Amino acid sequence: MSPNMPRIDISPSQETIPPVEPCTLVIFGGSGDLARRRLIPALYNLLLDGLLPPNYAVIGLGRKSMTTEEFRITVRDGVVTHSRQALVEDRWKDFSSHLFYVSGENENPHTYTRLKSRAEEIERDLQLTGNRIFYLSIPPSSVASVCEGLDQAGLATKLGNRIPYARIIIEKPVGRDLPSAQAINHVTGRVFDESQIFRIDHYLGKETVQNLMVLRFANSIFEPIWNHKYIDHVQITVSETEGVGTRAGYYEEAGALRDMVQNHMLQLLCLVATEPPYSLDPDVVRNAKMEVLRCLRPITDRDVEHVTVRAQYSEGTTHGHSIPGYRREKGIHPDSTTETYVALKCFVENWRWAGVPFYLRTGKALPHRASEIAVQFKDIPQILFNTNAQQPQPPNVLALRIQPEEGLSLRLVSRVPGTREQTRPVEMDFQYSDVFGRPSPEAYERLLLDVMAGDASRFMRRDAVEASWAWITKILEGWQRQGLRSLPEYPAGTCGPVEADRLIEKDGRTWRTL
Ligand code: BG6
């Protein structure tokens, strides 16, 4: 909060660590990007921090034909490039001896018989007890085949939290609209019990996101003013600098609304807007968040035109890299109408939030990587220090920075020291890494550990996934009715389309500068 705030050094081993039993983690999509960039580095960091169970195995399963040795080399590169902590040779050697690879098609029943016998063999060698976690980092269209395959091979025992357990992690997006999400939930629900299913949204594992509830409910100053009487509006922004990169196949089918808003951004909105849950029991918290989704005013018919904006990046430069226009990216259809940017205004229709707009915006190929939630309080009356109508005092803003530099800041108005009567906005700033002496763990580290411990608090429940898809599907239908043949454009490296500025400016407000 201030440069004088004492630094609090916390080592990972001082944390309260949930009990974690030895287990085998099977990653479907094991040769893919997520495994290489995020999952294996997360596991490696858990090992370095002493948080992995004493005994474990990781089996990558993928279409690509590869030996275990090749798999270890590939993921080692991922760790070198993406790990939070540097690669330490002897620790890596130990870790990599627990990594294995099985190749196979998700749709082929033999994959599952082979997986089963390989898993049993590894578990015998490493003396593991048979607890298994299946991580589905695969397209939504393959989820049903994998569940059926696991079921038929006898790998999907409905043992929930009993030992040995079987648990399944489903990576987002769960579906691409409400009917497909329902179909996935149906098949996973037939094969596994809800207590065994962990629908992951990695934003829920981010430090600032976890801190939102603490901030709101462990400090007495916020709750009394956290409502329509004091809050003017809320802005939620997730801005990314990269373009579509190597994910054209997936992104072209998804677009920013499905990729970011349906999950990450609506979850952030729920945490900002939720009523205080009466306990921290996972289901009580999830019920409270679910209420927010129920209160979201549907965006239908003409509203789609008035309160949503979608756009695509055109050719430009970010951070010295030139990016081709979206329609010219490799693997993208030259007439694509997939949005790489979306901005929208929505309302939570309950007593607390009556009339308070929530503005959401997210996009690729923007100038900064920054995600934040900004709560803007109402203007002060035009008296005392605010009598100049031409230059009103800027309102207080509480900005929660999700990344980078996780922390929060509060904008206040202060007197400028001196003999003249001058005021200026100042920021009170708090950064986790300054105060707590070590960088926050990556979201996937926390979430993988949660699954091993069987703690579902930070995962999406079936009803929440379907409620958010129901809301998003109405917007998608509205867009489809609009039938646009091309979308507004913004040059890569700029702050988004002018249409997004107009969306907020017509309400007499502006987007925050990131
Ligand atoms: C993923 C999206 O869920 O989140 C990606 O599919 C996006 O398109 C990513 O880039 C952003 O995550 P983070 O943690 O980098 O903000």
Side-chain angles (χ1 to χ4, degrees):
M1 300 249 153
S2 85
N4 297 330
M5 180 136 189
R7 188 170 146 141
I8 305 163
D9 283 309
I10 297 187
S11 72
S13 53
Q14 274 173 277
E15 291 180 1
T16 327
I17 299 159
V20 170
E21 297 289 335
C23 62
T24 303
L25 174 68
V26 180
I27 306 175
F28 286 82
S31 54
D33 239 29
L34 190 80
R36 199 174 53 82
R37 292 162 68 117
R38 304 237 185 175
L39 302 181
I40 302 289
L43 292 165
Y44 174 69
N45 279 282
L46 287 175
L47 172 88
L48 290 189
D49 287 347
L51 299 174
L52 267 195
N55 199 0
Y56 60 93
V58 180
I59 305 178
L61 190 143
R63 188 163 291 161
K64 200 165 168 185
S65 131
M66 205 177 357
T67 62
T68 285
E69 224 17 77
E70 287 164 339
F71 177 63
R72 289 175 182 171
I73 293 169
T74 312
V75 292
R76 185 184 193 280
D77 287 349
V79 169
V80 170
T81 323
H82 300 288
S83 167
R84 177 169 65 81
Q85 304 177 77
L87 188 131
V88 182
E89 272 318 329
D90 59 334
R91 304 308 305 276
W92 173 258
K93 209 166 155 214
D94 167 38
F95 177 71
S96 70
S97 68
H98 294 253
L99 306 181
F100 306 89
Y101 189 78
V102 173
S103 53
E105 305 274 336
N106 294 333
E107 286 71 25
N108 185 344
H110 296 307
T111 302
Y112 301 89
T113 41
R114 269 191 296 121
L115 172 64
K116 188 171 185 217
S117 59
R118 187 71 181 109
E120 284 168 353
E121 192 179 35
I122 292 166
E123 284 163 352
R124 220 176 14 252
D125 291 351
L126 295 180
Q127 297 180 341
L128 284 158
T129 48
N131 291 325
R132 292 182 188 141
I133 299 172
F134 302 101
Y135 196 122
L136 272 52
S137 169
I138 51 175
S141 52
S142 301
V143 172
S145 312
V146 173
C147 287
E148 305 285 1
L150 292 173
D151 192 23
Q152 276 155 26
L155 284 158
T157 45
K158 277 210 175 190
L159 284 179
N161 284 332
R162 276 182 288 138
I163 306 288
Y165 62 71
R167 295 178 185 147
I168 184 165
I169 307 178
I170 305 182
E171 186 51 59
K172 63 148 277 269
V174 181
R176 61 184 319 277
D177 53 17
L178 180 59
S180 55
Q182 285 168 328
I184 289 177
N185 283 337
H186 177 74
V187 67
T188 43
R190 196 181 54 67
V191 176
F192 293 94
D193 184 73
E194 181 67 21
S195 64
Q196 296 173 276
I197 306 173
F198 294 76
R199 298 177 194 85
I200 202 163
D201 179 327
H202 75 280
Y203 267 56
L204 295 180
K206 290 187 188 262
E207 198 64 58
T208 324
V209 177
Q210 292 178 51
N211 195 34
L212 245 163
M213 292 259 288
V214 179
L215 183 83
R216 283 192 57 196
F217 304 127
N219 294 292
S220 63
I221 58 171
F222 293 118
E223 187 49 20
I225 56 170
W226 209 258
N227 57 51
H228 69 274
K229 285 193 209 141
Y230 298 95
I231 293 177
D232 178 73
H233 74 278
V234 177
Q235 292 187 20
I236 303 180
T237 305
V238 178
S239 157
E240 299 188 273
T241 49
E242 287 176 15
V244 66
T246 52
R247 298 167 73 221
Y250 155 73
Y251 199 82
E252 182 66 345
E253 289 298 306
L257 188 72
R258 290 186 176 95
D259 185 44
M260 299 297 286
V261 181
Q262 182 271 334
N263 34 75
H264 308 324
M265 299 188 81
L266 283 187
Q267 282 301 306
L268 298 181
L269 186 150
C270 285
L271 286 165
V272 177
T274 180
E275 293 301 314
Y278 66 83
S279 86
L280 290 176
D281 178 84
D283 269 322
V284 175
V285 174
R286 297 196 291 183
N287 285 345
K289 282 165 53 192
M290 184 61 207
E291 282 301 308
V292 178
L293 292 172
R294 285 205 186 99
C295 293
L296 271 183
R297 183 195 295 170
I299 299 179
T300 51
D301 304 323
R302 298 302 302 274
D303 285 347
V304 169
E305 269 167 51
H306 298 136
V307 300
T308 74
V309 167
R310 52 189 165 138
Q312 266 174 358
Y313 60 84
S314 57
E315 192 181 344
T317 311
T318 55
H319 298 265
H321 297 289
S322 59
I323 299 192
Y326 178 70
R327 287 176 167 204
R328 289 171 167 258
E329 294 269 22
K330 202 166 153 216
I332 300 298
H333 198 278
D335 294 328
S336 168
T337 53
T338 299
E339 76 289 354
T340 61
Y341 181 101
V342 61
L344 59 86
K345 173 169 82 164
C346 60
F347 289 92
V348 177
E349 292 203 300
N350 62 14
W351 193 278
R352 181 188 290 268
W353 295 110
V356 179
F358 286 74
Y359 297 96
L360 275 49
R361 63 178 162 157
T362 182
K364 297 222 179 266
L366 297 176
H368 308 288
R369 176 171 189 258
S371 303
E372 66 157 40
I373 300 169
V375 179
Q376 181 162 323
F377 292 88
K378 292 206 162 160
D379 290 329
I380 52 165
Q382 290 197 334
I383 52 172
L384 299 176
F385 303 106
N386 197 27
T387 48
N388 182 351
Q390 305 311 313
Q391 273 187 316
Q393 292 288 7
N396 298 130
V397 177
L398 177 66
L400 309 160
R401 279 191 313 273
I402 296 162
Q403 61 198 19
E405 293 162 2
E406 297 159 316
L408 58 94
S409 70
L410 179 63
R411 183 169 76 193
L412 303 168
V413 171
S414 166
R415 186 174 186 282
V416 179
T419 48
R420 291 171 47 204
E421 283 306 320
Q422 269 191 63
T423 59
R424 242 197 62 180
V426 292
E427 304 272 338
M428 263 174 82
D429 204 61
F430 153 80
Q431 208 166 304
Y432 282 90
S433 53
D434 286 352
V435 176
F436 293 109
R438 71 179 176 108
S440 313
E442 290 292 330
Y444 279 101
E445 296 173 35
R446 152 72 58 201
L447 295 172
L448 284 167
L449 204 58
D450 280 351
V451 181
M452 293 178 195
D455 178 353
S457 334
R458 279 174 277 259
F459 291 80
M460 307 275 296
R461 215 170 50 187
R462 177 179 183 155
D463 53 354
V465 169
E466 292 182 10
S468 55
W469 271 122
W471 191 77
I472 290 288
T473 302
K474 291 208 165 62
I475 301 177
L476 290 168
E477 287 166 357
W479 283 356
Q480 205 169 13
R481 271 194 301 274
Q482 278 182 318
L484 298 185
R485 314 252 310 254
S486 64
L487 299 185
E489 291 188 335
Y490 59 99
T494 63
C495 292
V498 285
E499 287 79 356
D501 294 340
R502 286 194 207 119
L503 172 84
I504 192 165
E505 284 166 9
K506 69 186 176 200
D507 294 344
R509 302 180 174 106
T510 51
W511 292 115
R512 276 168 57 79
T513 310
L514 297 172

